[in-house]
Amino acid sequence: MAAERRRDRPAIFTERIKILGWLKSHLQAHLKLRDDQTDILHGNMTDIDQQRVVDDFGNAKRALRAS
């Protein structure tokens, strides 16, 4: 099944912020995901940016957009 057709939306947790970028780039490459299909959330982000990520994750339409 193509990545854009999947309905599962996993969340991956790590203790290191540096690993977040590595995970994002490698998951995108290996799963053929677009940049807007992955995001990063960590405690050093502003409250507004954190809330945007949470809202986007809860928006099912965002995950199902076609290429």
Side-chain angles (χ1 to χ4, degrees):
M1 180 182 284
E4 62 269 7
R5 292 189 184 138
R6 290 186 182 156
R7 293 179 188 253
D8 51 335
R9 301 178 65 202
I12 300 172
F13 298 88
T14 180
E15 292 184 11
R16 306 280 186 244
I17 292 173
K18 186 174 181 178
I19 299 300
L20 291 172
W22 184 89
L23 283 168
K24 180 176 172 143
S25 65
H26 281 75
L27 287 172
Q28 283 176 320
H30 292 287
L31 299 176
K32 297 180 172 67
L33 299 171
R34 298 182 317 270
D35 191 51
D36 68 340
Q37 290 180 298
T38 60
D39 216 331
I40 290 176
L41 174 68
H42 58 78
N44 289 343
M45 296 168 66
T46 67
D47 290 344
I48 292 169
D49 288 338
Q50 288 183 37
Q51 189 60 52
R52 178 198 52 80
V53 173
V54 170
D55 291 344
D56 283 350
F57 188 80
N59 182 353
K61 290 182 182 177
R62 181 175 186 261
L64 299 175
R65 281 190 290 204
S67 298

